Amino acid sequence: MIKISVESASKYEGKEVKIPGWVYNFRSSGSIYFLQVRDGSGFIQAIVNKAEVSDKAWSACEKITLESSVELSGKISKHPKKEEYELQVSDIKITQLAEEYPIGKKDHGPDFLLDMRHLWLRSTKQWAIQRVRNTIINSIYEFLNKEGYIKIDSPILTPNACEGTTTLFEMDYFDLGKAYLAQSGQLYIEAAIFSHGKVFDFGPVFRAEKSKTRRHLTEFWMMDAEAANVEHEENMKIQEELICFIIKKVLAENQKELEILERDVEPLKKIRPPFGRMTHAEAVKKLQKLGSDIKEDDDLGGDDETLLTKDSPVPIFVEKWPAKIKAFYMKRDASGKVALCDDLIAIEGFGEIIGGSQREDDYDTLLKRIKEQKLPLKDFQWYLDLRKYGSVPHSGFGVGLERLVGWLCGTPHVRETIPFPRMINRLRP
Ligand code: 4AD
Ligand code: MG
């Protein structure tokens, strides 16, 4: 008998098959058992009729508990009314009879569920979120490969900070002093553009963020992209195209998952280029008019981001920020006061999903900046070197994977968008 996945059941209508899976729900009506079974690829109802199975199989059925692993044999049939397939069971074997499952039908609080994360991952919504995450990861690779980007893996243990020194995880590194967990691979992939032109990395990054918001994790996944001979304006166009590509893929490939998540897809369907654009100064003015107490040189808070995009059908680039509140590596405009950078703010209150900028490509300017900010010159000399040997204008950006997953799934807290979230108050499981 052929072993199949639930996902492919429609191809086996009328055929005898074997399906290994887990029982996530069941009910009985005297001589019939209805088992709700999932196998990772999908969900199927298995019908066990006492009259049609052996006594052994029937008594196995009577013992069944939630989350028991089973191997079912039977014939695939089409649901009389719906576009769904069922399994008319001829035999059932229990692979492991599960103990009483701690996650029940009742509403559990988030702390309990996070303590049970190793089990919670099986729940239907959590299953759907990870499937969307998988599509997003694959579509990022697909887009970048199609555009000629080469993947360059950046190091996680680094001697220097990329995004300021306040959120660094620090450790002793043998006899060489301190090492830090990477906050972004950007500085390293900048080196690789001089070899490959267009490059990206995609991996875990770490921020010792003291913030306890629904948008902050201490370990999250970032895709940094970087390209030679790309300036600020073109950098934003690439981000716009990437995001549109990802949304299209998710809408096409994850209909079922988005339905499970009860995600209203209409706002996503309407997203297309060009995205909104406003300078930081314009954003501040607009926010002040809307009642925010934000000031000229302030970062945007979560509430500001929500307010700013409230009536926009497309994400908004907030560009050209005051240089003094942005990173040392960003190129500035002619005035020297404004950084040629952008934060891409999603719609529907999901906040910043991308941070990017053109990079300072002049040796002396960058050296001055590093000295002004009292960064350790010896650890940045290699980065300065890149401006000595064939320097070119270049730009890049970093996508926060969990924020993007959260937005597309309509999941407000990023803790559900990563398999095992790390936050200031959570390291387990
Ligand atoms: O804006 P950020 O800090 O930019 C950088 O790190 C640049 N070096 C990237 C680059 O230019 N290559 O981070 C990029 C994105 C943010 O827009 C946000 O989506 C996400 O990473 N992010 C976080 N996500 C979850 N938890 C946190 N603590 C995050 N901090 C940033
Ligand atoms: Mg940012």
Side-chain angles (χ1 to χ4, degrees):
M1 207 182 295
I2 181 173
K3 182 173 84 180
I4 69 158
S5 66
V6 167
E7 198 176 30
S8 66
S10 64
K11 287 191 236 148
Y12 295 91
E13 194 182 345
K15 300 251 160 58
E16 290 283 338
V17 300
K18 197 176 271 181
I19 299 182
W22 294 268
V23 177
Y24 70 96
N25 216 343
F26 60 89
R27 65 191 162 86
S28 86
S29 66
S31 58
I32 300 185
Y33 259 90
F34 297 95
L35 308 177
Q36 312 299 323
V37 176
R38 57 179 179 80
D39 76 335
S41 77
F43 307 87
I44 193 164
Q45 171 158 274
I47 300 156
V48 193
N49 201 325
K50 190 176 179 184
E52 282 161 36
V53 297
S54 66
D55 289 348
K56 198 171 158 217
W58 184 253
S59 70
C61 220
E62 286 179 318
K63 273 197 302 213
I64 220 96
T65 52
L66 280 187
E67 289 303 318
S68 286
S69 42
V70 293
E71 193 177 83
L72 301 167
S73 308
K75 196 183 270 181
I76 298 288
S77 64
K78 188 162 178 293
H79 190 282
K81 293 187 198 102
K82 292 184 246 172
E83 260 315 299
E84 273 172 27
Y85 291 82
E86 297 176 323
L87 185 70
Q88 307 294 336
V89 175
S90 58
D91 196 15
I92 170 167
K93 284 199 186 75
I94 296 177
T95 312
Q96 193 253 329
L97 190 67
E99 292 179 24
E100 193 182 341
Y101 195 57
I103 302 181
K105 285 274 155 276
K106 63 173 184 286
D107 260 347
H108 297 290
D111 278 328
F112 174 81
L113 289 170
L114 286 165
D115 285 343
M116 292 287 139
R117 185 61 173 168
H118 51 298
L119 304 178
W120 189 27
L121 281 175
R122 309 173 182 198
S123 300
T124 314
K125 284 195 174 172
Q126 301 306 315
W127 174 86
I129 292 171
Q130 291 309 313
R131 304 258 298 190
V132 173
R133 179 178 168 112
N134 183 59
T135 305
I136 294 175
I137 293 170
N138 287 335
S139 60
I140 289 175
Y141 277 93
E142 194 181 332
F143 176 86
L144 293 168
N145 283 325
K146 157 176 99 64
E147 297 295 318
Y149 285 74
I150 296 293
K151 181 153 187 270
I152 295 292
D153 299 317
S154 53
I156 285 175
L157 291 172
T158 63
N160 45 12
C162 178
E163 295 299 315
T165 50
T166 55
T167 64
L168 277 177
F169 279 108
E170 183 187 286
M171 71 186 80
D172 292 320
Y173 195 83
F174 306 104
D175 297 332
L176 298 181
K178 297 285 180 204
Y180 308 98
L181 296 183
Q183 300 161 307
S184 154
Q186 177 203 321
L187 305 187
Y188 289 94
I189 65 164
E190 275 186 60
I193 62 164
F194 298 92
S195 175
H196 300 282
K198 299 175 182 183
V199 300
F200 71 105
D201 68 11
F202 201 163
V205 292
F206 306 87
R207 306 261 170 115
E209 292 268 7
K210 296 276 160 33
S211 9
K212 263 194 193 166
T213 81
R214 61 189 174 89
R215 292 172 187 169
H216 288 92
L217 295 163
T218 53
E219 175 180 313
F220 63 99
W221 280 61
M222 186 168 351
M223 188 284 288
D224 295 285
E226 195 74 27
N229 303 303
V230 166
E231 300 192 23
H232 171 60
E233 190 56 40
E234 189 182 349
N235 192 34
M236 291 194 291
K237 287 227 174 69
I238 300 167
Q239 296 168 46
E240 203 169 73
E241 279 169 26
L242 169 66
I243 295 299
C244 291
F245 185 86
I246 296 169
I247 292 175
K248 230 176 162 175
K249 282 275 170 188
V250 168
L251 288 175
E253 291 175 17
N254 294 119
Q255 274 170 0
K256 185 173 59 182
E257 288 81 359
L258 296 171
E259 231 168 77
I260 289 171
L261 294 165
E262 295 166 58
R263 174 63 160 114
D264 174 10
V265 292
E266 289 313 312
L268 298 179
K269 280 189 184 158
K270 291 190 191 112
I271 291 175
R272 50 180 60 86
F275 291 174
R277 279 169 172 66
M278 63 175 78
T279 63
H280 178 271
E282 287 164 352
V284 168
K285 256 191 221 128
K286 181 169 174 190
L287 285 166
Q288 286 170 341
K289 257 194 217 140
L290 291 170
S292 165
D293 55 7
I294 189 171
K295 289 178 209 67
E296 213 174 292
D297 290 334
D298 283 353
D299 196 356
L300 302 186
D303 293 341
D304 294 319
E305 292 174 344
T306 302
L307 203 57
L308 206 57
T309 48
K310 186 165 61 73
D311 300 316
S312 178
V314 289
I316 294 178
F317 286 110
V318 178
E319 55 165 337
K320 301 185 176 168
W321 289 54
K324 60 177 154 191
I325 61 167
K326 283 293 189 185
F328 76 97
Y329 54 71
M330 291 182 179
K331 192 171 181 70
R332 299 179 180 184
D333 74 354
S335 78
K337 295 206 168 75
V338 172
L340 296 173
C341 65
D342 66 271
D343 277 17
L344 181 61
I345 318 293
I347 56 170
E348 304 172 282
F350 285 89
E352 178 198 336
I353 49 171
I354 297 184
S357 75
Q358 186 168 341
R359 320 305 189 186
E360 182 51 66
D361 52 67
D362 178 66
Y363 186 94
D364 293 324
T365 313
L366 189 59
L367 177 62
K368 197 169 131 238
R369 197 89 39 80
I370 286 172
K371 283 182 175 161
E372 273 166 15
Q373 303 207 3
K374 301 199 171 59
L375 296 170
L377 191 55
K378 87 171 180 348
D379 291 326
F380 284 95
Q381 192 54 56
W382 70 268
Y383 186 65
L384 276 162
D385 271 358
L386 306 176
R387 279 74 183 163
K388 265 203 309 206
Y389 306 104
S391 192
V392 283
H394 63 284
S395 305
F397 57 91
V399 179
L401 178 61
E402 288 72 19
R403 301 251 187 111
L404 187 54
V405 175
W407 173 36
L408 299 192
C409 289
T411 306
H413 203 301
V414 288
R415 67 188 168 206
E416 286 185 46
T417 64
I418 187 164
F420 292 96
R422 289 350 184 182
M423 296 174 283
I424 38 176
N425 55 359
R426 179 163 297 277
L427 182 62
R428 296 188 169 84

